[in-house]
Amino acid sequence: MVQRTSRYTLLVFNLLLLSLGSLPVTAQQNDKDKRPAIEYPLFHGLFISADLYGPASYGIGSDFLVFEAAAELDLKNRYFPIVEVGYGSTDTWGDKGIHYKSSAPFFRAGMNYNFFFKKQDRFYLYGGFRYALSSFTYDVYNLTADDPIWGDAVQNPNLNDPIWGGSLPYNYKGQKATIHWFELLAGVRVYLYKNFFMGWALRYKSRLSESKSSYGDPWFVPGFGQYDKSRFGITYTITYKIPL
């Protein structure tokens, strides 16, 4: 009986030592849990970005060449007011032998919201919106050739007059248009090295208003893409952060 009691006493003593030994670990864990969330200053940095997707897609066969850059202010690692400017151009032929040519700048302004604002400022998951516009001129025409025998212009047989029949000449240059649109986007940005980041964003674009020529729709809108009521786009950016 005494031997059994001694065993129980030794067991309780060992358990007590283990409990006491675990107190610092528990205290450290509790202190860690009680640490306040990271507090970022109001002006936490300025991001300067350049899009890589536009030039890369043109290099592999796209009809559109687009350059764009952005300046984005970091407010408390949470709100990111942003301005984007760019230049888009195209010079291509359509399926029916119509030549389309246009080039002009475009402008966007809006806000991004970082859903990981409580985390370290090396990974961003964000959503945002943009208001955008582009005012540009465009040429739409078909190439004609002179008949070597009769000397008359040979018209494009793919373009027919819907009332009288026959081939149509098509030559409208210097047409003017202004397009306003709205964008919703979602994207990510990750830290690379020494204040450099890489990221991408998926954009949904929807036309708001427009003024255009009565002789035909613009086939390409700088900053928006191929003319349509709405469309999706993507940007893939390299970014440098200037600490404030």
Side-chain angles (χ1 to χ4, degrees), residues 115-151:
F115 296 101
F116 283 3
F117 64 92
K118 293 183 179 180
K119 307 295 184 180
Q120 277 194 334
D121 54 349
R122 293 198 169 197
F123 182 83
Y124 303 84
L125 174 65
Y126 61 89
F129 67 89
R130 304 284 189 275
Y131 161 76
L133 69 91
S134 181
S135 184
F136 56 99
T137 60
Y138 58 101
D139 301 336
V140 183
Y141 58 92
N142 68 299
L143 185 64
T144 60
D146 293 333
D147 190 307
I149 298 176
W150 304 102

Side-chain angles (χ1 to χ4, degrees), residues 95-109:
D95 295 336
K96 292 186 177 182
I98 299 177
H99 187 206
Y100 185 87
K101 185 177 181 180
S102 178
S103 59
F106 59 89
F107 169 84
R108 303 190 197 102

